[in-house]
Amino acid sequence: MSASILDGKMVAGLLRENVSRDVKRWTETGNRKPRLQVILVGDNPGSHTYVSAKTKACLEVGIDSDTLILPDTVSDKELKDTIRQFNNDDATDGILVQLPLPQHIDPMSVIETIDHRKDVDGFHPMNIGRMTTGQPCFRPCTPAGIFEIFNYYSIQTKGKHAVMVGASNIVGSPMAILLSRENDSKATTTICHKYTRDLTRHTIDADILIVAAGSPGLITGQMVKEGVVVIDVGINRVADNQSEKGYRLTGDCEFDSVSKKASWITPVPGGVGPLTVAMLMKNTLLAAKKSIYPV
Ligand code: NAD
């Protein structure tokens, strides 16, 4: 078998067109443009790349955005005071603090400082809790984007065995929760992480395998069964002296061997990444419309 490609870039393009149309309708009826405030701490090159992709996407769909760059010496208090100012600013609909943060700052307490009604990343415990219990919420962008892929390609999750490799707060855990909800996705879900013994014992049994470990080539063809649907969330920079930048991006799956056995697979780049950005646009519009948390 040779896998068909799940073209996340294309699906994200369609989503962004929808958001763009909705933003136009929203502003044509007398509302101001939605506005996203990004806070970027320090000079991590990866973070700067992600933030510029997000603000560029905002511009394309008609969302106003601003990026506040703070030095990596910023104190926990200064950062939280800044967030509170945006919480109290009626002209700011969404607030995004780009992760990772410097070592001296606890990311979870920073996320908790964001008003959950402006938490367009969907990381606040209020949104995670509401997601877990099936109530309206801002869903974390990467898991929500993966479900857009499932919907577009009619990939059924009901009754399937979904295996999630990676258990982070921003990807693995929320994805596993969404997959396993009996009233929604209805998958039987296994979560693996770095302490999992014999990873292959779990991955080989997956009908749907989602990998977000940050470990290039972790999953090989020998670790999956014929016909599996593979969602590779990993974005890793690996040294490549053939490339102008000196590196190339690669996923957590060894694409050549895994795609020989899978029925469907996302490429890296061009798979999940563009959907994460598109879902951020969608969440920012929902925040502006007060669709999730009416006032
Ligand atoms: P993280 O470092 O917070 O979490 C990694 C998880 O993987 C942990 O639960 C860890 O236990 C697990 N893990 C690590 N090595 C493992 C191994 N050998 N076997 C089993 N489990 C292992 O990372 P994250 O923020 O969840 O991101 C994961 C990857 O996804 C990274 O490459 C990141 O760049 C990428 N990412 C992509 C998008 C996107 O839009 N495509 C969004 C977020 C993160």
Side-chain angles (χ1 to χ4, degrees), residues 149-172:
I149 295 185
F150 290 161
N151 284 341
Y152 183 85
Y153 287 97
S154 301
I155 288 171
Q156 305 300 320
T157 53
K158 182 179 170 185
K160 298 282 171 62
H161 183 202
V163 175
M164 178 72 235
V165 179
S168 69
N169 285 340
I170 66 172
V171 186

Side-chain angles (χ1 to χ4, degrees), residues 70-89:
L70 298 171
D72 57 11
T73 51
V74 71
S75 71
D76 183 87
K77 182 176 182 314
E78 282 167 321
L79 176 56
K80 288 176 180 168
D81 285 346
T82 305
I83 292 171
R84 288 188 192 101
Q85 279 176 21
F86 293 121
N87 283 346
N88 294 326
D89 174 20

Side-chain angles (χ1 to χ4, degrees), residues 11-24 26 33-38 50-67 93-96 98 118-122 138-142 144-145 148 273-292:
V11 179
L14 297 175
L15 262 167
R16 294 218 306 237
E17 277 171 27
N18 282 343
V19 173
S20 182
R21 267 194 296 274
D22 278 1
V23 168
K24 198 158 174 278
W26 176 247
K33 281 182 172 186
R35 182 173 181 284
L36 174 68
Q37 180 64 50
V38 180
Y50 292 136
V51 165
S52 60
K54 290 169 187 176
T55 51
K56 188 168 159 257
C58 282
L59 194 69
E60 276 173 27
V61 300
I63 291 175
D64 276 341
S65 75
D66 176 58
T67 304
D93 300 302
I95 302 171
L96 180 157
Q98 183 65 40
K118 299 189 179 190
D119 167 43
V120 286
D121 254 341
F138 292 112
R139 286 180 306 159
C141 298
T142 302
E148 295 292 337
L275 276 154
T276 300
V277 178
M279 294 314 292
L280 175 69
M281 304 296 103
K282 190 170 172 186
N283 278 352
T284 305
L285 176 60
L286 291 173
K289 287 180 161 178
K290 314 249 183 293
S291 304
I292 310 279

Side-chain angles (χ1 to χ4, degrees), residues 50 123 141-142 164-173 191-196 199 211-216 218-219 232-236 250-252 268 271-277:
Y50 292 136
F123 297 161
C141 298
T142 302
M164 178 72 235
V165 179
S168 69
N169 285 340
I170 66 172
V171 186
S173 285
I191 311 179
C192 304
H193 43 62
K194 62 185 171 205
Y195 301 107
T196 299
L199 188 59
V211 193
S215 178
L218 173 68
I219 305 295
D232 190 350
V233 183
I235 302 179
N236 307 292
T250 177
D252 287 345
V268 179
V272 177
L275 276 154
T276 300
V277 178

Side-chain angles (χ1 to χ4, degrees), residues 186-214:
K186 304 176 172 64
T188 301
T189 308
T190 299
I191 311 179
C192 304
H193 43 62
K194 62 185 171 205
Y195 301 107
T196 299
R197 273 181 282 157
D198 192 359
L199 188 59
T200 304
R201 186 160 76 84
H202 303 284
T203 58
I204 199 87
D205 190 46
D207 302 311
I208 300 173
L209 178 65
I210 300 153
V211 193

